[in-house]
Amino acid sequence: MKFSIVVYAAPYSSEAAATAFNFTKTLLDQGHELYRLFFFGDGVHNANRLAVVAQDEVNLQQRWDQLITTHRLDAVVCVSSAIRRGLLDSQESERYELDAISVYGSSEIAGLGQLIDAVINSDRVVNFG
Amino acid sequence: MSCLHTISQSPSRQLLDTCASVLETGDAVIFIEDGIYYCNQKESLAEFKVEFQVYSLVEDMNARGMLKRNLIDAELVNYQQFVELCCEYDKVVSWF
Amino acid sequence: MNNASNKKTITFISRQAPYGRNNSRLCLDMALASAVFEQQVNYVFLDDGVLQLVKDQNAESINSKTIGNALETLGLYGINDVCVDKKSLSRRNLQPTDLIIDVKMVDRSAIGELIRQSDCVFNL
Amino acid sequence: MTNFLEIQDHRIALDKEGYLKDIQDWNEEIATALALLEQIRLSPSHWQILNLLRAFYKRHQMSPANRALSGLVKRKLGKDKGRSVYLMKLFSGSPAKMACKIAGLPKPDNCI
């Protein structure tokens, strides 16, 4: 079955970010297809590459990055949610004349069109917030 | 088209009330995160359960010390079964 | 839902009051994007969501944009199926005349039916 | 990397995509100059659209996507002008983007 997952929750603020991760990992382990992972609203923090977590705690952002990289997932961070929360890739960083890159390279910053495309092309869209 | 509803907030937020009012025959509810505290409610969901299947996510129950407090007798499922349920029902609506 | 038609019916259920949290804005943005990409959109105000429609909002006083004024653009984006839950409205002492845009008054069973008919539901 | 728009003795700051850095700077003279940078000579037909856009922004505090711009123009100025061909002729490529730039509306974040 072809899934898309939408995440609205930030890691460490809400369990929903971790639930989304566990759900996504499970569906991939079961051999289902993930059409797209979409980080929206506070959910964009899941793609932050500048977070530091105590050694005895789970670094959820890093786990997402590994999952996305290992499975070559299509992960999208909503641009309007991202830039106002300081999550930038090289392109947005240049566009707004800032000097940092704070999003993992495994995710792409793009618009809501990518979410609508996911709705059109997936069998199931599951939201976590 | 049948629908699986996820409820992830504690009963004090009353999400089940609203959710129940829009359910259709054949729909089901799964409690996750703080939603699992619905399982610890004295008022039984017996009547509700006649019409709708009720699930609860075992990982979230365990985390909260609620495995022995499944007073409403919800069907406990793990993440694998949660994913399977999402396939079984035609769509998933999340209440958070 | 399994047929890969390019036009889906997407229902947005907006359930939160404006300003306190940002969900009302996220919900609107998703719906407008769906309309831009030519999907069939239903928009439903439920529970505290109906408070977004109250007249005379002016969020300048809290350095925010006024959500009520943004909701007026739903029609321009071709989103004409806009519903309000009757019960949520009356529980908050509101009448249809208190609202900023024309909306369809519906009961819970109609909302259930909309969910049933949709390919995808966003509920926040 | 800041660009400037030179108007008489004033220098108006633009970002590198040619949007006003501060939308409070906007006036009609600046609009004319912004348009010229895009090889557009503003006519009364352009101004009709620009004024509509500014009124729309003032009321709704948002910049319309192309679909809403067409809808708005159709509603206010009639069917013919609401057609995207007409708007594209006036404001090239993506009319909403270009017209917003000239009308001094906030730079779109490319979300829709």
Side-chain angles (χ1 to χ4, degrees):
Chain A
M1 185 132 315
K2 215 192 282 181
F3 281 87
S4 282
I5 303 293
V6 191
V7 187
Y8 305 81
Y12 316 113
S13 304
S14 162
E15 188 191 353
T19 308
F21 178 84
N22 292 338
F23 187 91
T24 305
K25 187 169 181 316
T26 305
L27 78 86
L28 290 167
D29 288 347
Q30 288 181 330
H32 293 293
E33 184 186 340
L34 186 73
Y35 181 78
R36 184 162 294 140
L37 181 59
F38 195 86
F39 296 118
F40 193 37
D42 285 341
V44 300
H45 291 296
N46 287 286
N48 188 348
R49 62 180 275 273
L50 298 180
V52 179
V53 170
Q55 283 167 306
D56 61 349
E57 281 181 40
V58 171
N59 186 333
L60 191 59
Q61 293 92 328
Q62 201 177 63
R63 289 229 183 146
W64 275 121
D65 176 57
Q66 285 163 355
L67 190 71
I68 293 164
T69 307
T70 311
H71 292 270
R72 296 165 183 253
L73 302 179
D74 182 334
V76 173
V77 181
C78 169
V79 60
S80 81
S81 300
I83 57 176
R84 69 187 66 215
R85 289 171 175 81
L87 288 160
L88 308 168
D89 59 7
S90 59
Q91 199 183 329
E92 295 301 317
S93 180
E94 207 170 302
R95 181 159 191 248
Y96 293 97
E97 301 171 38
L98 293 161
D99 55 9
I101 294 171
S102 47
V103 158
Y104 273 114
S106 54
S107 290
E108 181 202 355
I109 293 191
L112 275 168
Q114 296 296 307
L115 175 62
I116 312 311
D117 173 72
V119 170
I120 292 169
N121 291 295
S122 310
D123 302 314
R124 297 287 182 278
V125 178
V126 187
N127 295 272
F128 294 93
Chain B
M1 296 218 293
S2 63
C3 186
L4 178 69
H5 296 259
T6 73
I7 294 187
S8 60
Q9 302 288 329
S10 114
S12 62
R13 290 272 309 272
Q14 301 186 313
L15 289 179
L16 184 61
D17 294 13
T18 308
C19 172
S21 68
V22 300
L23 287 184
E24 305 264 317
T25 311
D27 286 358
V29 169
I30 178 168
F31 297 125
I32 62 172
E33 302 168 19
D34 284 349
I36 65 100
Y37 289 117
Y38 273 104
C39 298
N40 183 42
Q41 287 206 310
K42 264 220 185 104
E43 317 90 77
S44 142
L45 296 180
E47 239 176 274
F48 183 79
K49 283 178 64 195
V50 171
E51 208 174 344
F52 307 105
Q53 186 69 41
V54 176
Y55 305 96
S56 192
L57 189 62
V58 74
E59 282 86 345
D60 280 320
M61 299 274 289
N62 186 35
R64 288 163 173 78
M66 286 288 144
L67 275 180
K68 290 180 184 158
R69 304 197 58 92
N70 182 9
L71 306 182
I72 63 163
D73 205 18
E75 184 176 337
L76 302 188
V77 294
N78 59 22
Y79 268 99
Q80 283 79 16
Q81 292 163 314
F82 182 15
V83 171
E84 280 161 22
L85 286 174
C86 291
C87 300
E88 202 177 295
Y89 291 85
D90 294 311
K91 65 189 155 243
V92 183
V93 177
S94 304
W95 298 78
F96 54 84
Chain C
M1 198 159 182
N2 294 320
N3 62 356
S5 135
N6 284 334
K7 189 153 185 164
K8 300 278 179 177
T9 299
I10 312 177
T11 295
F12 294 88
I13 306 177
S14 193
R15 279 187 6 259
Q16 287 212 341
Y19 313 117
R21 295 174 60 88
N22 194 35
N23 290 18
S24 51
R25 178 67 64 167
L26 296 181
C27 197
L28 176 64
D29 286 348
M30 285 196 283
L32 297 185
S34 307
V36 166
F37 291 94
E38 316 262 317
Q39 305 302 302
Q40 176 64 44
V41 176
N42 301 309
Y43 209 87
V44 180
F45 295 93
L46 180 63
D47 288 346
D48 278 346
V50 302
L51 298 166
Q52 297 166 36
L53 292 164
V54 168
K55 278 180 184 164
D56 299 327
Q57 296 173 49
N58 182 358
E60 243 175 74
S61 54
I62 53 168
N63 297 319
S64 179
K65 291 185 175 184
T66 302
I67 287 170
N69 295 359
L71 291 171
E72 289 175 332
T73 66
L74 283 167
L76 274 182
Y77 279 82
I79 301 174
N80 299 311
D81 295 314
V82 183
C83 311
V84 170
D85 173 50
K86 272 185 206 161
K87 202 179 190 180
S88 306
L89 207 59
S90 64
R91 279 195 183 160
R92 287 163 185 78
N93 302 317
L94 293 168
Q95 310 281 331
T97 49
D98 295 321
L99 307 184
I100 197 161
I101 49 173
D102 274 336
V103 285
K104 228 182 290 171
M105 295 294 144
V106 297
D107 53 27
R108 295 288 166 93
S109 63
I111 296 172
E113 180 61 18
L114 274 182
I115 294 174
R116 200 183 65 78
Q117 290 172 353
S118 302
D119 295 300
C120 187
V121 178
F122 291 98
N123 178 22
L124 63 169
Chain D
M1 280 281 304
T2 309
N3 302 319
F4 289 98
L5 192 61
E6 308 262 358
I7 291 191
Q8 291 163 0
D9 293 338
H10 294 294
R11 302 217 309 171
I12 307 293
L14 302 180
D15 73 9
K16 57 186 189 184
E17 294 173 49
Y19 288 86
L20 290 175
K21 281 218 156 169
D22 181 353
I23 55 174
Q24 305 290 345
D25 284 339
W26 190 91
N27 62 35
E28 297 193 353
E29 200 182 349
I30 287 171
T32 307
L34 283 173
L36 278 179
L37 284 181
E38 307 286 348
Q39 273 100 46
I40 295 172
R41 191 175 290 275
L42 294 184
S43 67
S45 308
H46 290 93
W47 276 109
Q48 254 188 332
I49 309 294
L50 295 177
N51 290 331
L52 259 187
L53 261 181
R54 288 190 63 84
F56 176 91
Y57 176 72
K58 196 167 173 227
R59 173 69 198 171
H60 306 295
Q61 296 166 294
M62 53 195 266
S63 304
N66 280 326
R67 171 160 189 174
L69 177 63
S70 305
L72 177 71
V73 174
K74 213 172 276 172
R75 198 180 280 183
K76 304 280 184 181
L77 305 175
K79 232 181 181 169
D80 283 349
K81 295 188 173 177
R83 285 179 315 156
S84 53
V85 203
Y86 175 79
L87 294 169
M88 274 164 67
K89 214 162 132 195
L90 288 177
F91 291 103
S92 76
S94 171
K97 233 179 213 179
M98 181 63 78
C100 286
K101 187 190 252 187
I102 298 171
L105 268 49
K107 171 164 159 169
D109 58 21
N110 288 337
C111 198
I112 301 183

